[in-house]
Amino acid sequence: MRKRTEPVALEHERCVALGSSSSGLTAPVLDADCRLKRNLRLAGKAPAEPRCAADAGMKRALGRRKGMWFQLRKILLCVLGLYVAIPFLVRLCPGIQAKLIFLNFVRVPYFIDLKKPQDQGLNHTCNYYLQPEEDVTIGVWHTVPTVWWKTAQGKDQMWYEDALASSYPVILYLHGNAGTRGGDHRVELYKVLSSLGYHVVTFDYRGWGDSIGTPSEPGMTYDALHVFDWIKARSGDNPVYIWGHSLGTGVATNLVRRLCERETPPDALILESPFTNIREEAKSHPKSVVYRFFPGFDWFFLDPITNSGIKFANDENVKHISCSLLILHAEDDPVVPFHLGRKLYNIAALSRSFRDFKVQFMPFHSDLGYRHKYIYKSPELPRILREFLGKSEPELQH
């Protein structure tokens, strides 16, 4: 350290001595010379400034990364907390599961007037309101066969009710969850069935559409029973078939089981996209995969359904049904897995109650793209119904 500082000190003393011994213009020149030398000696420290700037920039970048990671960690913790909280919320509030099964609060399509089925292209349809119980009112649509399209124009409810006594068979259609009797795929099915020569009667269960009441499995079944009896009181000896779709298959088998127990079975039962029971459907539903392997899945998610009185036990009901059964199911159904429809068919085929009746399973290949609600598009559907119900299409349209 001494070797380095001695030349600097000696140089400084020499500059001072020269400065003090000189006069006039020599002093500023020597001062400038000394300053220049000092600056040159200190020049080696100049790179320190860029290095400090780079360090500061790196610190800011690291700070930003830490901030982003902190925010991401907060989001992940919130998602994890919500994921864990939902099962407990469902368990503590079983009504949540009931709403998710019924989805009656989802009214699709929106902004349609259910009192005007003609707005949906059903110009040969009449809107009714029936009252199964006190404080319960249900909205009903009755579509006559297409061959009566012109005759039906401008006719009132009484004419439509009397028309049920004609020689044309009747299909009571029980729709699935969500939406209303005016749902697009449902309207398209009414048109197909009407073109084949059927009366189509459908309705919204209590709590759906413009129907008044609180949804429940017993209530939905009673609504269907009331409409069936209303049809039979007007249709005379005409065949009456029950058609259920998705959740409506649960209502349909409940209804037909009761009808068979009181010895007034329908002429046939058609189940489109059915499941075995609501527990298996909930467990097999694609959306349940998020929690399917969650510890205590049954206790958290399935038991509350049963505790709410919701069973829709198609697999048990078919053991007590004595009428012809047709099951329609698409292999690419994303809502009710195809294997549940096949399983229900196997149960029904082995049931003694069907030993004197036809039991038929009609699959639709996944390449057709019918999925959960587009089987009505199948060009084979008229032939399938004709062969199963034993009526020829030309006879129905005469």
Side-chain angles (χ1 to χ4, degrees), residues 115 117-118 122-128 140-144 155-158 160:
K115 296 179 182 178
Q118 60 269 23
L122 296 172
N123 294 322
H124 49 310
T125 299
C126 185
N127 181 69
Y128 308 146
V140 181
W141 279 1
H142 173 197
T143 302
V144 297
K155 295 298 191 293
D156 59 10
Q157 179 175 335
M158 187 61 67
Y160 275 86

Side-chain angles (χ1 to χ4, degrees), residues 119-395:
D119 291 348
Q120 309 307 308
L122 296 172
N123 294 322
H124 49 310
T125 299
C126 185
N127 181 69
Y128 308 146
Y129 288 99
L130 303 179
Q131 191 170 13
E133 296 177 313
E134 188 177 358
D135 300 327
V136 175
T137 303
I138 57 176
V140 181
W141 279 1
H142 173 197
T143 302
V144 297
T146 302
V147 292
W148 280 2
W149 181 85
K150 289 185 179 179
T151 308
Q153 301 307 301
K155 295 298 191 293
D156 59 10
Q157 179 175 335
M158 187 61 67
W159 181 87
Y160 275 86
E161 291 188 29
D162 292 340
L164 288 170
S166 67
S167 58
Y168 295 94
V170 184
I171 290 180
L172 171 58
Y173 179 78
L174 306 173
H175 68 68
N177 66 353
T180 67
R181 61 190 184 276
D184 293 339
H185 64 283
R186 294 162 187 165
V187 169
E188 293 304 316
L189 178 63
Y190 310 155
K191 292 177 181 178
V192 170
L193 297 177
S194 173
S195 69
L196 297 177
Y198 296 98
H199 290 275
V200 181
V201 178
T202 186
F203 67 97
D204 280 320
Y205 316 105
R206 59 185 71 189
W208 272 260
D210 57 354
S211 297
I212 299 172
T214 302
S216 68
E217 182 177 351
M220 296 163 69
T221 303
Y222 189 78
D223 292 344
L225 179 62
H226 181 81
V227 177
F228 178 86
D229 288 341
W230 179 87
I231 293 171
K232 289 297 292 182
R234 291 157 178 78
S235 62
D237 295 331
N238 288 341
V240 178
Y241 308 120
I242 309 296
W243 185 311
H245 173 245
S246 192
L247 188 67
T249 63
V251 182
T253 61
N254 282 347
L255 168 63
V256 176
R257 178 176 177 176
R258 290 188 62 173
L259 293 175
C260 291
E261 288 174 348
R262 75 178 194 184
E263 299 182 352
T264 57
D267 293 274
L269 171 62
I270 302 170
L271 301 178
E272 179 187 358
S273 306
F275 48 84
T276 48
N277 58 71
I278 201 64
R279 284 179 70 99
E280 285 196 6
E281 160 57 12
K283 192 169 186 175
S284 303
H285 196 284
K287 292 183 180 178
S288 71
V289 70
V290 179
Y291 283 101
R292 199 169 296 163
F293 302 102
F294 190 88
F297 175 84
D298 287 13
W299 188 79
F300 278 112
F301 292 98
L302 303 184
D303 290 350
I305 297 176
T306 306
N307 295 339
S308 297
I310 303 173
K311 298 179 179 178
F312 291 115
N314 290 335
D315 51 354
E316 183 63 28
N317 287 337
V318 294
K319 298 175 183 178
H320 304 274
I321 288 176
S322 52
C323 69
S324 296
L325 171 65
L326 171 64
I327 295 178
L328 310 171
H329 213 137
E331 293 179 353
D332 58 338
D333 191 327
V335 178
V336 180
F338 177 78
H339 72 85
L340 291 185
R342 172 71 74 176
K343 183 177 180 180
L344 181 64
Y345 165 73
N346 292 334
I347 294 172
L350 297 175
S351 174
R352 292 182 178 180
S353 64
F354 285 104
R355 58 189 173 189
D356 297 325
F357 301 95
K358 290 189 293 184
V359 179
Q360 184 176 345
F361 183 80
M362 184 58 60
F364 294 86
H365 198 275
S366 57
D367 290 345
L368 297 171
Y370 296 153
R371 296 171 68 80
H372 184 60
K373 54 186 180 183
Y374 301 112
I375 289 178
Y376 72 84
K377 293 183 177 181
S378 173
E380 294 298 311
L381 187 59
R383 178 190 61 80
I384 293 169
L385 294 178
R386 181 174 64 244
E387 293 178 356
F388 175 73
L389 298 176
K391 295 285 185 178
S392 66
E393 195 172 336
E395 289 176 352

Side-chain angles (χ1 to χ4, degrees), residues 35-159:
R35 284 197 300 273
L36 179 60
K37 290 180 178 179
R38 282 198 300 270
N39 290 338
L40 289 173
R41 284 193 298 271
L42 295 174
K45 299 181 180 179
E49 291 185 5
R51 192 179 298 118
C52 292
D55 291 345
M58 187 178 295
K59 289 180 179 179
R60 286 195 295 270
L62 290 173
R64 284 195 297 269
R65 290 180 184 176
K66 288 182 179 179
M68 291 176 62
W69 169 243
F70 179 73
Q71 292 296 330
L72 180 60
R73 188 170 59 180
K74 281 180 62 178
I75 293 172
L76 291 175
L77 288 174
C78 289
V79 171
L80 180 61
L82 184 62
Y83 177 80
V84 174
I86 285 176
F88 290 93
L89 184 63
V90 170
R91 178 68 190 185
L92 293 173
C93 305
I96 294 176
Q97 280 290 65
K99 288 187 177 295
L100 292 176
I101 290 172
F102 295 142
L103 290 178
N104 59 300
F105 55 90
V106 178
R107 180 168 175 168
V108 180
Y110 296 97
F111 311 117
I112 69 168
D113 187 352
L114 293 171
K115 296 179 182 178
K116 299 179 180 179
Q118 60 269 23
D119 291 348
Q120 309 307 308
L122 296 172
N123 294 322
H124 49 310
T125 299
C126 185
N127 181 69
Y128 308 146
Y129 288 99
L130 303 179
Q131 191 170 13
E133 296 177 313
E134 188 177 358
D135 300 327
V136 175
T137 303
I138 57 176
V140 181
W141 279 1
H142 173 197
T143 302
V144 297
T146 302
V147 292
W148 280 2
W149 181 85
K150 289 185 179 179
T151 308
Q153 301 307 301
K155 295 298 191 293
D156 59 10
Q157 179 175 335
M158 187 61 67
W159 181 87

